[in-house]
Amino acid sequence: MAPGRDRRTGFSRRRQYGVFLGYVLAVAGVIVGAGLLVMSRFDPPAFAALRMGVAGMTTPVSSGLASVGDAIASVPRAIGTYLFVHDENAVLRAERDRSRALLMRARTIAYDNRRLRRLLDLRDRDDSVVVSARLVSSTASSGRRFALLNAGRWQGVFPGMPVRGPDGLIGRIVETGPNAARVLLLSDPESIVPVRRTRDGLPAIAAGRGDGMVDIRSVDTTNVRFNAGDVFVSSGTGGLYAPGIPVARIIATGADSVPARTFAHPDTLDFAIVSKAFMPVPPPRVETAAP
C-alpha cells in the first residue's frame, strides 16, 4: 500500500523558518497595503510624500538597471551599424572616385575651352593672322628648341612669321614645307626678341637659354635692376614681332641679366596662331625748305 503524502514541514528547521517567513511577509504586505490604501483615501498629501520618497530611493536602482539594459541592447545595434556604415563607406568611396574622375575631366575640358576661346578671340581681333594651326610636337629635352606646325606654304606660312598662343609669344617660323613649318621657340639659344618692361618701358633683350627659359638682358646700359615678377612684352623693334605681345616674367631679382619664364609653354599647347611679320611704320620724312 502506497504511503500517504505528508503535507507537514517535518523536522526541517529551514523549511519551517521559510514557511513562517512567507506567512509573515504575506501578512505584512497585506497590512502595509491596507495602510497605504487607507492613507491614500484619508490623507492624500502624506501618501504623495511617501510615494515620492519611495520613488527617490528606487530611481537610482531603476536608472542603473535601465543603463545596463541599454548597454546590452546596444551591442547588436552597434554591430549592425558598423556593418552598415562599412558598406556605406565603400559605396561613398567608389562614388567619390567616380566623381573625382568626372571632375578632372570637366576641369580639363573647361581649361581647353577657355584656352581655345582666347585663341579664337585673338584671331578675330588681330587682322594680321594668317592661319590657326596645330603644334604637332616640340623638343623639350635637347639643347635646341623647335616645334612642328601642321601648316606650310599652302596655307600662306613663310619663314620669319611670328607664332603666338593665347598666353603669349611662342617663337617664329624658320623653315616651311608644303603643309608643315618649323618653329624656332623663344627658349632656343638662337632666339633673340626685343622686349620692354611693362611698368616703365625699359628696353631689353629676351635671349633663349636652351633649358625652357629665357634671359632678360639690359640694352646699352649697366647696373640695370630687374625685380622678380617684372613682366616683359615685345617692343616691336626690328619689324618682326608686333609690340605688346606677352613674352616672359622674371623669376629672380638681379642686375643686367636675369632668368625669366615664358608665358607660352609649347609642350602644353595644341593650337597656335601664325601672324604676318610686323613692319613698324617708318618715321615721317622731314622736308627742309630750300635756302
Side-chain angles (χ1 to χ4, degrees), residues 22-286:
Y23 287 147
V24 170
L25 292 177
V27 174
V30 172
I31 294 174
V32 170
L36 292 176
L37 182 62
V38 173
M39 183 180 295
S40 65
R41 178 66 178 174
F42 296 99
D43 194 359
F47 178 75
L50 179 62
R51 181 172 57 191
M52 293 307 299
V54 174
M57 291 186 295
T58 58
T59 296
V61 179
S62 300
S63 299
L65 294 177
S67 300
V68 173
D70 292 340
I72 295 174
S74 65
V75 173
R77 184 168 59 251
I79 295 175
T81 303
Y82 171 77
L83 296 177
F84 174 75
V85 169
H86 184 271
D87 296 339
E88 187 177 6
N89 286 339
V91 174
L92 291 177
R93 289 193 189 97
E95 185 176 358
R96 180 199 60 187
D97 295 337
R98 291 192 298 269
S99 301
R100 182 179 299 173
L102 293 176
L103 179 61
M104 293 300 296
R105 189 179 305 170
R107 286 178 177 175
T108 302
I109 294 174
Y111 171 75
D112 291 338
N113 287 339
R114 289 196 302 270
R115 181 170 50 82
L116 294 176
R117 193 175 296 115
R118 291 199 305 268
L119 198 64
L120 291 174
D121 183 60
L122 178 63
R123 186 187 64 179
D124 295 338
R125 288 188 290 107
D126 193 353
D127 296 334
S128 63
V129 173
V130 176
V131 67
S132 299
R134 182 185 293 273
L135 284 172
V136 179
S137 62
S138 62
T139 57
S141 60
S142 64
R144 301 303 304 273
R145 301 293 171 134
F146 293 97
L148 188 63
L149 199 70
N150 67 342
R153 291 192 299 269
W154 290 349
Q155 290 78 24
V157 178
F158 297 97
M161 290 184 172
V163 181
R164 64 173 299 180
D167 298 324
L169 189 63
I170 297 174
R172 60 185 172 88
I173 303 294
V174 292
E175 296 177 3
T176 58
N179 58 352
R182 201 177 189 196
V183 182
L184 180 71
L185 302 179
L186 293 179
S187 57
D188 188 85
E190 299 294 330
S191 174
I192 296 179
V193 180
V195 295
R196 61 177 176 84
R197 190 160 54 186
T198 55
R199 61 185 176 89
D200 57 3
L202 176 71
I205 293 294
R209 294 163 51 101
D211 59 355
M213 296 193 299
V214 297
D215 281 332
I216 302 296
R217 303 172 184 173
S218 60
V219 178
D220 296 335
T221 55
T222 57
N223 297 325
V224 176
R225 190 68 178 175
F226 297 108
N227 298 323
D230 285 348
V231 175
F232 285 82
V233 298
S234 58
S235 63
T237 304
L240 181 61
Y241 304 102
I245 303 176
V247 176
R249 185 193 302 272
I250 293 178
I251 61 175
T253 302
D256 295 336
S257 181
V258 292
R261 193 179 305 278
T262 59
F263 286 103
H265 302 283
D267 53 345
T268 62
L269 294 177
D270 293 334
F271 289 89
I273 288 178
V274 181
S275 303
K276 298 177 183 178
F278 173 71
M279 299 299 296
V281 178
R285 181 181 301 177
V286 178

